[in-house]
Amino acid sequence: GCAAQNLPVTKEVVDKLTAFVKLLSKWNRVYNLTSVRLPDDMVNRHIQDSLIVLPWITGPDLLDIGSGAGLPGLPLAMVKPELSVTCLDANAKKTRFIQQVVSELDLQNVQVEHQRAEKYQPESPFHQVISRAFSSLQQMQKSAGHLCLLNGEMLAMKGMKPTEELSVLRTMGYIPQVLGLQIPGLDVERHLIKWTPSGATNTA
């Protein structure tokens, strides 16, 4: 999968990604972390899907809101160890899983926070805030816009192009950029929506 995306990863990184899939498969049988059951499908639909946005991850820090099973935060942190990643989720069983992965795989560039995005108050805002199927674009901005630097980037990973959501975001004064993505070997629509918090003329 990494080769198909032309990602220059080491064997150590591939081993960590593999170990992550094994842990996800094991925990998923008890905690129902994802509807994807088979490890091979997890590689395509979770790992490759997470890593497809890597060219747009500039850091130096990234907040993954509604991280769930650590997606896309954990795969991005494994492939880009110089990136500081914070995985945020309000579901305790999911943050416990993420913490277990961090501990077992010794991911020193990952922090885990059990909190709702609306109530999370970090010491300083992040350069990039990302979500994968978190909510609507407008809700993401309202819930987590305060967590991003004004000149930073909000990044929303979507399936089909969210035309109606884009229109609403524009009426709020933001200027979204839409990028079509293709996951090798997976015949599905994927889009990355980017906008800058300082692009707002109002936040109503």
Side-chain angles (χ1 to χ4, degrees):
C2 290
Q5 292 188 33
N6 297 314
L7 298 178
V9 296
T10 63
K11 181 182 182 300
E12 180 184 6
V13 170
V14 173
D15 288 345
K16 284 188 175 184
L17 290 168
T18 303
F20 172 49
V21 171
K22 289 180 179 179
L23 283 169
L24 179 56
S25 179
K26 176 183 177 181
W27 277 60
N28 199 46
R29 289 192 287 269
V30 178
Y31 291 97
N32 194 30
L33 298 170
T34 170
S35 61
V36 180
R37 300 297 177 188
L38 300 176
D40 283 353
D41 290 339
M42 290 177 179
V43 171
N44 290 330
R45 296 173 60 184
H46 287 326
I47 304 301
Q48 286 189 255
D49 188 63
S50 294
L51 295 179
I52 197 68
V53 300
L54 189 64
W56 294 276
I57 303 301
T58 57
D61 49 59
L62 176 74
L63 173 64
D64 177 13
I65 61 171
S67 189
L71 302 162
L74 292 180
L76 291 171
M78 293 177 205
V79 174
K80 201 177 177 75
E82 70 276 15
L83 179 70
S84 176
V85 175
T86 299
C87 292
L88 175 72
D89 202 280
N91 187 306
K93 69 180 181 181
K94 293 178 179 178
T95 54
R96 281 197 298 269
F97 169 72
I98 298 172
Q99 190 60 63
Q100 185 67 26
V101 174
V102 170
S103 177
E104 288 199 26
L105 303 187
D106 192 26
L107 302 179
Q108 299 184 17
N109 58 330
V110 178
Q111 300 294 320
V112 185
E113 295 288 345
H114 174 219
Q115 184 64 269
R116 292 183 61 84
E118 297 89 341
K119 296 184 177 180
Y120 180 45
Q121 296 292 336
E123 291 184 6
S124 58
F126 295 80
H127 288 80
Q128 291 184 303
V129 175
I130 195 167
S131 74
R132 182 174 179 260
F134 173 71
S135 63
S136 67
L137 299 177
Q138 59 269 31
Q139 188 58 49
M140 178 181 172
Q141 174 59 41
K142 289 180 179 180
S143 299
H146 68 286
L147 301 173
C148 187
L149 290 167
L150 286 178
N151 62 345
E153 287 184 325
M154 302 288 286
L155 305 170
M157 299 173 67
K158 293 284 187 175
M160 295 176 60
K161 184 177 178 180
T163 304
E164 185 175 340
E165 293 179 26
L166 287 164
S167 296
V168 174
L169 195 64
R170 291 187 183 102
T171 65
M172 294 168 65
Y174 298 93
I175 306 172
Q177 180 183 359
V178 183
L179 302 165
L181 307 177
Q182 180 62 52
I183 302 172
L186 203 59
D187 187 21
V188 294
E189 273 194 72
R190 288 290 186 269
H191 291 85
L192 178 65
I193 317 299
K194 300 171 51 182
W195 70 94
T196 301
S198 63
T201 55
N202 66 77
T203 55

